Amino acid sequence: LSLPTDDHPGGRAVLYDLDVYNRRKVEAFRRVLKGLEAADRIAETFENVDIRSGLLKKIVRRRAPDGGGGCFPRMETELRWFVDRFDGRRAARGNFEPPRGVNEEYDRACDAIEHLEQNLNDYREQMCQMLRTSEWTYANTKEDQRDKYTICLPVSVAVPHDFIVTGKRGSGVKQVIKYCTPIVADLVEQLELAIDRKKEAKEAGLRIIFAKFDSHRPIWAAAAQATAMLDAMGALAEVSR
């Protein structure tokens, strides 16, 4: 069996658009959660209703901890975990942020970023005291920007010999000099690595959510079976009128 070459239509085929595929998965998952929330309300609706039909009572009553009761699963705790941690609308736009506790690697990366940013701000405070200036600012502090934490100081501020000039802005007495120092360079290097780890962990966040959801498959299957049986009974009752 030979693989299709680039000249063959099969070699140029795009099986699916990854972004569209992911959005569809996210939307499908959001709809599943909404459906399970609605299903969970079935047991609540019939909780205090006097039901004569043994079959109906079996379907809509919750399963007891000892295995008795009805066949409807107790899933409030499991379902709430996903509802509280999955924002389907944000995820569909590619803005899913794993809440703390979902992905340990993501949490560690966020903690490292926060720690490094604090170190950079502490360094600025220390140097401002040494240089006797309050005009030290950082440029490019967002995670997606290049040349992060470039030091900007007025031309009038005398700096130590280890300050490396990386650029200038303006002219005359209002000129601003851009610098980098070994300490800032080291912290920024660590920051870039932490940001990369965060991006990778963020992409894994949805997979973790989906995998955890799949681990509760027996609960969801029991709820689907109970609602299907209830739907069938409703259809039969409608037809028999």
Side-chain angles (χ1 to χ4, degrees), residues 16-29:
Y16 59 85
D17 185 303
L18 186 58
D19 289 337
V20 173
Y21 177 67
N22 285 337
R23 283 198 298 272
R24 287 176 178 170
K25 285 205 312 185
V26 165
E27 177 59 21
F29 186 63

Side-chain angles (χ1 to χ4, degrees), residues 198-215:
K198 178 184 175 182
K199 289 179 180 178
E200 292 174 3
K202 179 180 178 180
E203 293 173 359
L206 274 176
R207 294 197 298 272
I208 292 173
I209 292 278
F210 292 155
K212 186 173 179 67
F213 183 83
D214 189 62
S215 70

Side-chain angles (χ1 to χ4, degrees), residues 61-74:
R61 290 286 191 256
R62 293 191 188 277
R63 188 178 299 161
D66 60 1
C71 64
F72 207 92
R74 294 183 177 275

Side-chain angles (χ1 to χ4, degrees), residues 13-222:
V14 177
L15 300 182
Y16 59 85
D17 185 303
L18 186 58
D19 289 337
V20 173
Y21 177 67
N22 285 337
R23 283 198 298 272
R24 287 176 178 170
K25 285 205 312 185
V26 165
E27 177 59 21
F29 186 63
R30 188 180 72 84
R31 292 172 63 183
V32 166
L33 290 181
K34 290 292 185 183
L36 287 170
E37 283 186 289
D40 195 45
R41 289 193 290 271
I42 292 174
E44 295 179 9
T45 301
F46 286 95
E47 191 169 347
N48 298 316
V49 177
D50 183 21
I51 302 175
R52 296 182 181 180
S53 168
L55 179 58
L56 179 60
K57 184 183 294 185
K58 188 73 174 177
I59 293 173
V60 300
R61 290 286 191 256
R62 293 191 188 277
R63 188 178 299 161
D66 60 1
C71 64
F72 207 92
R74 294 183 177 275
M75 58 183 184
E76 306 98 313
T77 302
E78 291 82 2
L79 185 57
R80 178 51 51 189
W81 191 93
F82 294 98
V83 171
D84 289 345
R85 290 165 175 78
F86 180 79
D87 187 331
R89 298 189 185 282
R90 289 193 63 187
R93 296 195 300 267
N95 297 327
F96 178 73
E97 295 281 348
R100 185 165 288 274
V102 170
N103 186 344
E104 292 183 2
E105 181 59 31
Y106 184 84
D107 293 344
R108 285 195 292 268
C110 289
D111 290 341
I113 291 171
E114 184 178 350
H115 177 69
L116 290 164
E117 289 177 341
Q118 185 60 54
N119 285 348
L120 284 159
N121 289 326
D122 290 344
Y123 175 71
R124 178 186 59 191
E125 296 298 322
Q126 294 170 8
M127 294 305 297
C128 280
Q129 291 181 9
M130 190 184 80
L131 300 176
R132 297 183 179 180
T133 181
S134 61
E135 298 186 73
W136 174 309
T137 60
Y138 282 127
N140 308 325
T141 58
K142 294 182 179 179
E143 291 185 8
D144 59 348
Q145 290 181 310
R146 301 176 61 184
D147 301 322
K148 289 183 178 59
Y149 284 86
T150 297
I151 302 165
C152 299
L153 285 167
V155 67
S156 58
V157 177
V159 299
H161 63 84
D162 61 344
F163 275 54
I164 302 170
V165 177
T166 60
K168 299 178 181 180
R169 184 178 72 241
S171 60
V173 295
K174 293 185 178 180
Q175 188 177 55
V176 173
I177 310 298
K178 299 179 181 180
Y179 300 98
C180 183
T181 70
I183 291 177
V184 169
D186 179 61
L187 290 172
V188 167
E189 182 179 1
Q190 295 179 57
L191 181 62
E192 292 281 16
L193 292 173
I195 291 172
D196 288 342
R197 293 200 307 272
K198 178 184 175 182
K199 289 179 180 178
E200 292 174 3
K202 179 180 178 180
E203 293 173 359
L206 274 176
R207 294 197 298 272
I208 292 173
I209 292 278
F210 292 155
K212 186 173 179 67
F213 183 83
D214 189 62
S215 70
H216 296 299
R217 184 181 297 187
I219 296 177
W220 319 134

